[in-house]
Amino acid sequence: MEHKIHLLKNPLFLVSPNSGKLTKEEKLSQVKSCFLKLNPEIVIPKSPNETESISREAFEKNRLVVACGGDGFINLVANQAIKEKGTMSVLPLGRGNDFAKSIGILRLDDLRKAFENPRFIKSGYLDLYFKDKQKVCLTSVGIGLLSEAAFRASKMPFLQGSLLYALSALACFVNLKTHMYDIDFGNKVGIKERLVILVAACRPYAGGGMHIAPEAGKYKNKMNLLYASKVSRIEAIGLLEKVLGGRHLNHPKVKNDHYSKCKISTKEKNFWAPLVYGDGEHLGNLPVQISVGKSDLTLLIPNLS
């Protein structure tokens, strides 16, 4: 992709005003100091709608957009990159940063290396179709305990990373719940079961670095689907410890497989059962149809070879 090198000369840095703990001034200072030679154009959008419109306009002009923020902010930019067949990169400034970790950009220095020694890759993602909207997910879609933990994590402003999500999950164990879910794979084989956790993933990390889906990406055109049936509180704590290290696939209550698409629904009316979270954000409520994205997302990452 040598023809994309010209993108490095006129990048647009979109900086989230809300992601992470740094102030807007600190974020601006970091970008300016690292990319001084580029005389970088840096924009701080005032809203999600403005983030989408600015990034869409930049992609239409064939500019590289660097999304500087957390997973939710990166998701907004990536959605436009997919639609406009644009190229983007990321600077992780959020509390989870799972997508950035999965592509090898953990800090500002990694992004600098991507500009100095660029590599352009095609990245997969998930398409989500709700009753009234369509969303994309770059990491993993969580339902059940994971969506409850993500909701609780959003209410804990002073923590970040896997510790934040681990504590949120532990809070969920106080009143550990299972919910009845229907999973339809478009054929006669489906699943109807009470589950505590349900995950559809295209990247291995979720929850600020939890290795939730070690086999995500194993098959190019399939998502990794994991789910766990009812466990006791003691079993749940042990399962969480295994998840942190990606050692949970052999747990007797965990099922792990790969599918090209699925539809997930529930008839339960409580608050938690229908929540669908992905990339650190509430994406919608069940029912949802999930499939592997049909287009590619083009990313700039460091060339470490």
Side-chain angles (χ1 to χ4, degrees), residues 122-231:
K122 300 290 188 180
S123 174
Y125 59 95
L126 300 177
D127 272 324
L128 283 71
Y129 296 92
F130 297 93
K131 284 183 177 179
D132 57 349
K133 60 186 175 182
Q134 184 266 334
K135 294 282 188 176
V136 301
C137 180
L138 306 178
T139 55
S140 63
V141 177
I143 301 169
L145 186 144
L146 283 180
S147 59
E148 182 178 348
F151 176 91
R152 294 183 184 278
S154 68
K155 309 300 180 183
M156 299 180 180
F158 303 111
L159 297 172
Q160 63 183 31
S162 57
L163 175 61
L164 167 64
Y165 290 89
L167 290 176
S168 300
L170 287 172
C172 300
F173 294 165
V174 174
N175 294 302
L176 189 63
K177 310 172 188 70
T178 60
H179 309 290
M180 181 65 74
Y181 292 109
D182 285 288
I183 310 175
D184 181 1
F185 301 110
N187 51 37
K188 293 182 180 180
V189 179
I191 297 165
K192 185 172 184 178
E193 191 173 343
R194 298 199 70 84
L195 304 175
V196 65
I197 292 175
L198 178 53
V199 182
C202 61
R203 291 282 180 177
Y205 298 105
M210 291 185 180
H211 207 181
I212 189 71
E215 292 190 352
K218 183 177 181 179
Y219 303 104
K220 182 179 179 181
N221 296 315
K222 292 185 178 182
M223 73 184 89
N224 190 191
L225 189 73
L226 304 96
Y227 55 95
S229 53
K230 186 176 181 179
V231 293

Side-chain angles (χ1 to χ4, degrees), residues 266-277:
T266 184
K267 293 182 179 179
E268 298 201 12
K269 303 300 182 183
N270 70 68
F271 177 78
W272 302 109
L275 296 183
V276 179
Y277 269 75

Side-chain angles (χ1 to χ4, degrees), residues 35-259:
F35 296 96
L36 185 61
K37 293 181 180 179
L38 291 175
N39 190 23
E41 180 183 359
I42 307 171
V43 177
I44 300 180
K46 296 182 179 65
S47 67
N49 286 340
E50 190 171 75
T51 300
E52 292 180 320
S53 63
I54 293 173
S55 56
R56 179 172 61 251
E57 182 178 337
F59 290 131
E60 288 173 348
K61 294 178 179 178
N62 199 26
R63 296 182 67 185
L64 171 71
V65 178
V66 181
C68 309
D71 288 319
F73 185 80
I74 291 169
N75 179 295
L76 293 174
V77 177
N79 196 22
Q80 299 305 313
I82 292 165
K83 290 178 180 177
E84 303 299 332
K85 302 187 184 304
T87 302
M88 67 176 290
S89 192
V90 304
L91 173 59
L93 295 176
R95 296 198 293 163
N97 303 316
D98 293 305
F99 180 68
K101 180 176 182 177
S102 74
I103 62 173
I105 300 181
L106 306 179
R107 56 190 67 86
L108 186 61
D109 191 55
D110 296 322
L111 179 61
R112 178 183 56 79
K113 290 177 181 177
F115 275 81
E116 293 175 349
N117 192 16
R119 179 186 174 200
F120 295 94
I121 65 168
K122 300 290 188 180
S123 174
Y125 59 95
L126 300 177
D127 272 324
L128 283 71
Y129 296 92
F130 297 93
K131 284 183 177 179
D132 57 349
K133 60 186 175 182
Q134 184 266 334
K135 294 282 188 176
V136 301
C137 180
L138 306 178
T139 55
S140 63
V141 177
I143 301 169
L145 186 144
L146 283 180
S147 59
E148 182 178 348
F151 176 91
R152 294 183 184 278
S154 68
K155 309 300 180 183
M156 299 180 180
F158 303 111
L159 297 172
Q160 63 183 31
S162 57
L163 175 61
L164 167 64
Y165 290 89
L167 290 176
S168 300
L170 287 172
C172 300
F173 294 165
V174 174
N175 294 302
L176 189 63
K177 310 172 188 70
T178 60
H179 309 290
M180 181 65 74
Y181 292 109
D182 285 288
I183 310 175
D184 181 1
F185 301 110
N187 51 37
K188 293 182 180 180
V189 179
I191 297 165
K192 185 172 184 178
E193 191 173 343
R194 298 199 70 84
L195 304 175
V196 65
I197 292 175
L198 178 53
V199 182
C202 61
R203 291 282 180 177
Y205 298 105
M210 291 185 180
H211 207 181
I212 189 71
E215 292 190 352
K218 183 177 181 179
Y219 303 104
K220 182 179 179 181
N221 296 315
K222 292 185 178 182
M223 73 184 89
N224 190 191
L225 189 73
L226 304 96
Y227 55 95
S229 53
K230 186 176 181 179
V231 293
S232 67
R233 288 185 180 85
I234 296 299
E235 286 178 313
I237 293 171
L239 181 57
L240 177 62
E241 188 273 331
K242 289 181 179 295
V243 168
L244 288 171
R247 296 178 287 104
H248 55 291
L249 297 188
N250 292 326
H251 191 283
K253 296 292 181 69
V254 174
K255 300 293 188 295
N256 174 58
D257 213 330
H258 298 82
Y259 301 92

